[in-house]
Amino acid sequence: MKVVYVLFDSLNRHLLPPYGGSIIAPNFQRLAERSVTFDTSYVCSMPCIPARRDMHTGRPNFLHRAWGPLEPFDDSMPKMLRDAGVYTHLVSDHCHYWEEGGTNYHTKFNTWEAIRGQEGDPWFPQVRDPEPTEASILRSETGSLKRPCSGADAMVRQDVINRQAMPEPHLQPMSQVFTQARHFVERNHAEDNWFLQIETFDPHEPFFSHRCYKDLYDEHFKNYKGRDIDWPPYRAVKETPEEVEHMRYQYAALVSMCDEKMGHVLDWMDQYEMWDDTMLIVGTDHGFLLGEHDCWAKCWTPFYEEIAHTPFFVWDPRSGARNERRKALVQPSIDVVPTVLGAFGQEPTPRMTGHDLAATVADDTPVRETAVFGLFGAHVNITDGRYVYMRGNPDGQPNSPLYEYTLMPANMREAFPTSRFQEPFETASFDFTQGCHVMKIPAASGMPGGESITPTFDTKLFDLNQDPDQESPIQDAAVEERLLAALDGHMRQLDAPIEQWERLGMACETAKL
């Protein structure tokens, strides 16, 4: 058996042709015809690096800590395969792997390729300050790109510099990712027992693409007269309707570039006759708001369907199911782990809560009734595929108590500040920490190490059958009671910290202590 896992970042399900979208992406339609398309696929831990921790461990982590490295006690699917004699290789341009908060994910593979230059990746060296662009002014905090700078200004400054090193499409990181992946396939397609993860940061913002992809939407780009913006800020929409439409076309052009690369993977599968012995998995970590709900981006907003409901495709040569749809509720971030392990005859560990999807791919066998997802310290969400319940803290109450549990005290770009260790702290142990005692550190909600964004915490309930765009929360005591009971069950199964019940205003006298 061989497995190819193609992972995009921020790929919006509802805009792809297999899901009724209008973006020009014929190869995603081609993929759907060669695989099983999942209609009820949801995120788990959010956003980028927490999702990737799920993809190693096969269990949600957002109830215990925020963004950070793999823990010493974490299971790692690529490492388990490596230890079992399966060759594992990662090709990625995901810049967060090269930061302190993602420092040990790629090292679990036998080999890896690190492609640099996405977003504000500190890659291309230039001392001279670059000239601001309309896109950089929108995304930065001050509009200035002069050193010294920090936060969003530093990230945007570096991105402007990085783009200067990419005057042609083949020099963009995504192109290099798929080129290196092709080289791996060319060298190894005749070998057995390997796992290849092809991972690109696109179409994550900024939506940088070259003219050849914009030409697919020529009418818009020829007629648009506004600011040339391609990097949405994390806030409410303040731009004109024309600018919002332009941002969506910038995203569309980048997705069309992703589609071209997806087509290359399908071409390799054809060229080397890999369909008979190679599983192909294609997905994303989450979606992205492009002005829906009058919001840009993610994480500072509730996880609406545009973010949480994801595209997911699987070809499994063991069943041969293709050009079919599946309704079963799945969570690729945690389900890919036992699915890939199972493809190589390996068993998941007792700590993994994801499900092997082999039977689901074959005949739509259900694996769960409900799924939980969320961001550390924000809503804890649960869905059964029809209803989405976003449990927040009680009205008017502070979002506390809240603690991070870790032996790897780093956030997105740097280690925890020393101030977080200058007072004595408690330790704790959980059923998934393999006997390890971890630090219990007071925490704040949101995205540590990122921008100062405050998630929305009020409780919401949506009926997707009646309100697929989630415009009008409903009041239904029976549905809320049912989903709240299911949420309590998930939190027990995951050995959630006792204070999570208190923070969410849930009865905690029966919670696991």
Side-chain angles (χ1 to χ4, degrees):
M1 176 64 81
K2 294 168 275 198
V3 176
V4 176
Y5 181 23
V6 183
L7 180 62
F8 296 94
D9 194 305
S10 306
L11 183 64
N12 280 352
R13 170 190 182 275
H14 63 290
L15 299 179
L16 296 178
Y19 294 100
S22 59
I23 282 181
I24 298 172
N27 290 302
F28 277 102
Q29 186 61 47
R30 181 181 162 202
L31 169 65
E33 293 166 1
R34 294 301 305 255
S35 66
V36 163
T37 302
F38 283 82
D39 289 322
T40 320
S41 168
Y42 278 82
V43 301
C44 194
S45 301
M46 290 284 286
C48 305
I49 288 295
R52 282 155 182 79
R53 187 178 174 200
D54 286 359
M55 294 172 197
H56 280 251
T57 64
R59 61 174 292 121
N61 62 81
F62 70 93
L63 292 169
H64 295 85
R65 73 155 300 166
W67 188 299
L70 287 171
E71 299 284 350
F73 48 79
D74 277 345
D75 298 311
S76 168
M77 177 264 286
K79 184 178 185 300
M80 291 173 64
L81 292 178
R82 185 185 75 187
D83 292 346
V86 177
Y87 194 93
T88 59
H89 184 63
L90 170 70
V91 187
S92 180
D93 62 5
H94 200 284
C95 51
H96 295 308
Y97 284 144
W98 331 130
E99 297 170 337
E100 200 148 355
T103 186
N104 60 354
Y105 288 80
H106 54 289
T107 60
K108 307 306 180 188
F109 293 78
N110 286 89
T111 48
W112 65 89
E113 297 263 11
I115 309 299
R116 303 293 304 278
Q118 286 279 17
E119 199 183 38
D121 182 14
W123 167 58
F124 197 77
Q126 177 177 306
V127 178
R128 184 182 69 257
D129 292 326
E131 290 297 321
T133 65
E134 290 177 322
S136 71
I137 291 171
L138 175 65
R139 185 62 182 89
S140 67
E141 294 174 344
T142 66
S144 171
L145 303 183
K146 293 185 179 299
R147 292 186 303 115
C149 55
S150 61
D153 287 348
M155 179 178 64
V156 171
R157 179 188 187 276
Q158 186 63 54
D159 181 73
V160 173
I161 293 170
N162 287 348
R163 293 194 198 192
Q164 297 173 11
M166 308 171 196
E168 300 291 339
H170 73 277
L171 297 173
Q172 285 189 245
M174 175 168 46
S175 295
Q176 297 183 53
V177 164
F178 283 84
T179 296
Q180 293 303 320
R182 173 172 57 82
H183 292 164
F184 178 91
V185 172
E186 288 173 345
R187 286 190 297 268
N188 299 290
H189 66 88
E191 305 297 328
D192 197 14
N193 286 329
W194 52 257
F195 171 74
L196 170 63
Q197 183 164 321
I198 308 171
E199 180 177 352
T200 180
F201 195 57
D202 291 314
H204 192 287
E205 79 280 2
F207 308 140
F208 169 52
S209 69
H210 283 277
R211 189 71 216 182
C212 57
Y213 303 105
K214 293 175 171 52
D215 285 345
L216 296 170
Y217 308 91
D218 190 50
E219 183 175 354
H220 167 78
F221 284 101
K222 281 197 308 186
N223 296 324
Y224 176 69
K225 305 301 182 185
R227 293 184 294 170
D228 189 18
I229 51 178
D230 64 12
W231 199 342
Y234 279 56
R235 58 160 169 75
V237 172
K238 301 177 183 178
E239 288 64 43
T240 68
E242 292 77 17
E243 289 175 328
V244 172
E245 181 185 48
H246 181 65
M247 196 78 81
R248 291 174 177 173
Y249 273 105
Q250 297 277 37
Y251 179 83
L254 186 54
V255 172
S256 292
M257 183 179 180
C258 295
D259 178 78
E260 176 187 78
K261 308 309 177 187
M262 187 69 246
H264 293 168
V265 176
L266 301 179
D267 291 344
W268 310 332
M269 296 283 288
D270 290 339
Q271 178 183 354
Y272 296 113
E273 300 179 347
M274 297 170 65
W275 296 103
D276 291 339
D277 62 359
T278 305
M279 178 183 286
L280 176 62
I281 305 172
V282 180
T284 189
D285 50 0
H286 51 71
F288 191 87
L289 289 175
L290 295 167
E292 301 91 347
H293 309 281
D294 293 323
C295 296
W296 294 119
K298 61 186 184 290
C299 294
W300 72 276
T301 71
F303 288 140
Y304 293 112
E305 287 286 282
E306 293 87 352
I307 301 171
H309 197 171
T310 57
F312 187 50
F313 308 87
V314 179
W315 160 255
D316 188 343
R318 296 170 297 180
S319 69
R322 55 179 287 184
N323 201 24
E324 297 179 8
R325 314 289 292 207
R326 296 291 180 259
K327 299 296 183 185
L329 176 60
V330 299
Q331 290 187 282
S333 294
I334 57 174
D335 292 341
V336 160
V337 173
T339 301
V340 172
L341 289 172
F344 290 105
Q346 302 299 309
E347 294 293 326
T349 72
R351 295 166 291 280
M352 295 177 176
T353 61
H355 298 275
D356 187 339
L357 299 179
T360 311
V361 172
D363 58 19
D364 212 12
T365 298
V367 293
R368 58 172 57 81
E369 294 183 358
T370 55
V372 293
F373 57 95
L375 170 74
F376 176 77
H379 280 129
V380 178
N381 308 270
I382 185 168
T383 184
D384 60 5
R386 173 178 176 176
Y387 295 98
V388 175
Y389 182 57
M390 303 174 175
R391 181 71 183 192
N393 57 325
D395 291 343
Q397 299 299 311
N399 187 40
S400 62
L402 187 62
Y403 296 90
E404 288 199 68
Y405 296 87
T406 184
L407 290 174
M408 299 290 287
N411 50 45
M412 184 185 291
R413 297 187 175 93
E414 58 190 7
F416 285 9
T418 55
S419 59
R420 296 184 73 175
F421 304 103
Q422 289 170 345
E423 296 294 332
F425 53 80
E426 301 177 61
T427 63
S429 184
F430 299 92
D431 62 11
F432 61 90
T433 61
Q434 303 194 60
C436 296
H437 288 261
V438 298
M439 294 179 283
K440 178 182 179 181
I441 303 175
S445 59
M447 292 176 61
E451 297 175 60
S452 299
I453 52 180
T454 303
T456 303
F457 294 120
D458 54 309
T459 296
K460 303 177 187 291
L461 175 64
F462 293 98
D463 181 348
L464 300 179
N465 283 4
Q466 302 300 319
D467 180 23
D469 295 329
Q470 294 177 299
E471 295 178 341
S472 303
I474 64 170
Q475 301 290 327
D476 189 316
V479 172
E480 182 171 9
E481 182 179 3
R482 175 174 64 83
L483 291 178
L484 198 56
L487 177 57
D488 178 81
H490 281 285
M491 292 171 65
R492 293 166 183 257
Q493 180 193 21
L494 297 171
D495 202 8
I498 187 68
E499 69 270 9
Q500 288 283 5
W501 276 266
E502 182 179 353
R503 180 180 76 88
L504 298 170
M506 296 169 59
C508 61
E509 62 270 11
T510 59
K512 185 173 180 179
L513 298 173

